[in-house]
Amino acid sequence: MADRTAADGAGVIFDVDGTLLDTNYLHVLAWSAAFGDNGFRIETADIHRAIGLPSDSLVERLVQEQRPDLMEAHSDHFDRLRERYGVHAVTGAGDLLRRCAASGWTVVLSTSADKDDLDWMLPLIGADDVIAGTTTSGDVPHGKPHPDAMVTAMDAHGLAAERTLAVGDSVWDMRSARRAGIDCVGLTAGGISGPELQDAGAAEVHDDPAALLGRFRLSLLGVRAPQTQR
Amino acid sequence: MADRTAADGAGVIFDVDGTLLDTNYLHVLAWSAAFGDNGFRIETADIHRAIGLPSDSLVERLVQEQRPDLMEAHSDHFDRLRERYGVHAVTGAGDLLRRCAASGWTVVLSTSADKDDLDWMLPLIGADDVIAGTTTSGDVPHGKPHPDAMVTAMDAHGLAAERTLAVGDSVWDMRSARRAGIDCVGLTAGGISGPELQDAGAAEVHDDPAALLGRFRLSLLGVRAPQTQR
């Protein structure tokens, strides 16, 4: 475990879906089905690019209406797909969180998902012992790409923007972080490409947590780490 | 219908999955399930980037083995997903083919799918009257990104490389076309981003068939069309 604590104000805020858990493609299909059941035909590539937004923002972006019934239909489809097809952590997710904690970072998760979802998410990540806390949709007045998603997580754990990094897989993660004054690292594990993440503000891009772990010392997470490991 | 015929040697070769039909995300999930059932955990974003390859090449790329059983498992999963969730044409697909034909192009489809798949694919596209022919996996010694996929289609319809264009959504489509000496147009409807398609050789990139149709006159398909429409 880390010797230093959050008193440093140094933390890494991780997105969950598509970053630590390989869920984006199931979410795309669940939304596609929810829209289709209700007479909307939205191209799956457009849904994919909206993943990472809070559900209400995603719906409004894609069908230009506020439709809580579509959010519920998505949840139902997603639960069925998750049961049928299973969900796994992205390779190296738990190890990356552990390495961050061992390097002195306060590790925080910030997700647009509901608090209840943590019940199945956290065991899959398998790093509860190093996660200082989690921020879910209900904790944040305005979800990503609003900076609230990051500011709330920083406030809750005494993190300073200039000593904090964000790691995510969507342009919404990158924009939320940049607007909160946080440098951010992009992962293409959610299916959004490197150039798209860089355009949205990513300081560096890696394939997945395992790839980032492989270059940890040279990455922002290593270079700016509160303590150097031997 | 077009006044001119294939005697011009002017044609457009269209990919099908992800380009004319919104199937890529279903294929990703079907492959993920096929791999998972057989003890392979492959990240969905990696599967997505391999879509567009022939099935045998996709399997070899992702699990470094020749495994026909995985190809069969994928087909089974895909058929079930297609039945459960449905498949639709990408917006504007049929209209784009019609516009091409009306502009004097010979319209050919070239897909890594099986010949049998055309039975459900063609009715969804709904433009049989303007499609001069189709090339499927069995017709081609080496599938995409090998140039055979394009050369076979050109040979079958008397097309000349310098008067032919390709339209696709994957880097494999772009590479196959470039290696066959054909200029190619990328569509992001399959979820592969513009910069990725440009890196692979796309001369221009549009969102989907509807967007390409909206800029038809200014696109390669319009500028190089054998006959100008009023």
Side-chain angles (χ1 to χ4, degrees):
Chain A
M1 278 295 292
D3 293 339
R4 303 197 189 182
T5 71
D8 289 342
V12 185
I13 301 172
F14 284 89
D15 170 60
V16 178
D17 279 303
T19 300
L20 300 176
L21 296 180
D22 193 357
T23 45
N24 280 12
Y25 290 79
L26 283 188
H27 277 300
V28 169
L29 187 52
W31 280 115
S32 176
F35 290 132
D37 290 351
N38 289 278
F40 296 99
R41 194 173 295 173
I42 313 289
E43 285 173 20
T44 47
D46 291 333
I47 297 172
H48 190 185
R49 263 60 193 177
I51 296 285
L53 287 171
S55 293
D56 53 351
S57 307
L58 181 146
V59 168
E60 205 163 340
R61 177 184 171 87
L62 294 173
V63 306
Q64 289 81 47
E65 285 180 53
Q66 292 190 354
R67 290 284 299 262
D69 58 317
L70 295 177
M71 294 159 59
E72 206 161 317
H74 158 263
S75 285
D76 292 346
H77 279 293
F78 182 77
D79 289 345
R80 277 197 291 275
L81 283 164
R82 181 164 67 84
E83 197 167 315
R84 172 67 189 82
Y85 291 98
V87 165
H88 301 287
V90 185
T91 316
D95 290 342
L96 177 60
L97 300 191
R98 258 178 255 286
R99 177 74 183 266
C100 286
S103 302
W105 293 110
T106 296
V107 173
V108 180
L109 308 190
S110 171
T111 168
S112 300
D114 291 332
K115 193 172 187 59
D116 292 349
D117 291 321
L118 293 174
D119 292 344
W120 61 266
M121 286 175 157
L122 291 176
L124 290 174
I125 299 169
D128 286 12
D129 50 320
V130 299
I131 297 173
T134 56
T135 299
T136 54
S137 60
D139 303 323
V140 180
H142 304 94
K144 299 170 187 174
H146 197 283
D148 271 359
M150 301 296 165
V151 172
T152 302
M154 285 193 287
D155 287 351
H157 298 281
L159 306 181
E162 68 279 9
R163 304 207 66 203
T164 296
L165 295 169
V167 180
D169 74 299
S170 73
V171 299
W172 318 112
D173 296 322
M174 304 298 109
R175 291 184 190 157
S176 173
R178 297 300 300 129
R179 289 170 69 184
I182 303 176
D183 285 332
C184 50
V185 173
L187 300 181
T188 60
I192 304 303
S193 68
E196 290 170 280
L197 296 174
Q198 281 164 332
D199 270 2
E204 60 184 44
V205 176
H206 303 266
D207 284 354
D208 58 17
L212 174 51
L213 206 47
R215 302 185 174 194
F216 192 84
R217 282 167 193 273
L218 296 173
S219 76
L220 281 181
L221 297 182
V223 170
R224 298 196 189 162
Q227 61 192 38
T228 317
Q229 287 186 289
R230 248 161 302 276
Chain B
M1 279 293 293
D3 293 339
R4 303 194 188 183
T5 72
D8 289 340
V12 185
I13 302 173
F14 283 89
D15 171 58
V16 179
D17 278 303
T19 300
L20 300 176
L21 295 180
D22 193 357
T23 46
N24 279 12
Y25 289 79
L26 283 187
H27 277 300
V28 168
L29 186 53
W31 279 114
S32 176
F35 290 133
D37 289 351
N38 288 277
F40 296 99
R41 194 173 297 174
I42 312 289
E43 284 172 21
T44 46
D46 291 334
I47 298 173
H48 189 186
R49 263 62 195 176
I51 297 285
L53 287 170
S55 293
D56 53 351
S57 307
L58 180 146
V59 168
E60 206 164 338
R61 175 184 172 87
L62 294 174
V63 307
Q64 289 81 48
E65 285 181 55
Q66 292 188 354
R67 289 285 299 266
D69 59 317
L70 295 178
M71 293 159 59
E72 207 161 313
H74 159 261
S75 286
D76 292 345
H77 278 293
F78 182 77
D79 289 345
R80 277 198 291 274
L81 283 164
R82 182 164 66 84
E83 197 167 313
R84 171 67 187 84
Y85 293 98
V87 165
H88 301 286
V90 185
T91 317
D95 290 340
L96 177 61
L97 301 189
R98 258 178 256 285
R99 177 76 183 263
C100 286
S103 304
W105 293 111
T106 296
V107 173
V108 180
L109 309 190
S110 171
T111 168
S112 299
D114 290 335
K115 195 175 186 60
D116 292 349
D117 291 321
L118 293 175
D119 292 344
W120 61 265
M121 286 175 158
L122 290 177
L124 290 175
I125 299 168
D128 286 15
D129 50 320
V130 299
I131 298 172
T134 56
T135 300
T136 55
S137 60
D139 303 322
V140 180
H142 304 96
K144 299 171 188 174
H146 197 283
D148 270 0
M150 301 295 166
V151 172
T152 302
M154 286 192 286
D155 287 352
H157 298 280
L159 306 181
E162 68 279 8
R163 304 208 65 204
T164 296
L165 295 170
V167 180
D169 73 299
S170 73
V171 299
W172 318 110
D173 296 322
M174 305 298 109
R175 290 184 191 158
S176 174
R178 297 301 302 131
R179 291 169 67 182
I182 303 176
D183 286 330
C184 49
V185 173
L187 301 182
T188 59
I192 305 303
S193 67
E196 291 170 281
L197 296 174
Q198 281 165 332
D199 271 1
E204 60 185 43
V205 175
H206 303 266
D207 284 353
D208 59 17
L212 174 49
L213 206 47
R215 301 184 174 195
F216 192 84
R217 282 166 193 274
L218 296 173
S219 77
L220 282 180
L221 298 181
V223 171
R224 298 195 189 163
Q227 61 192 38
T228 315
Q229 286 185 287
R230 246 162 305 275

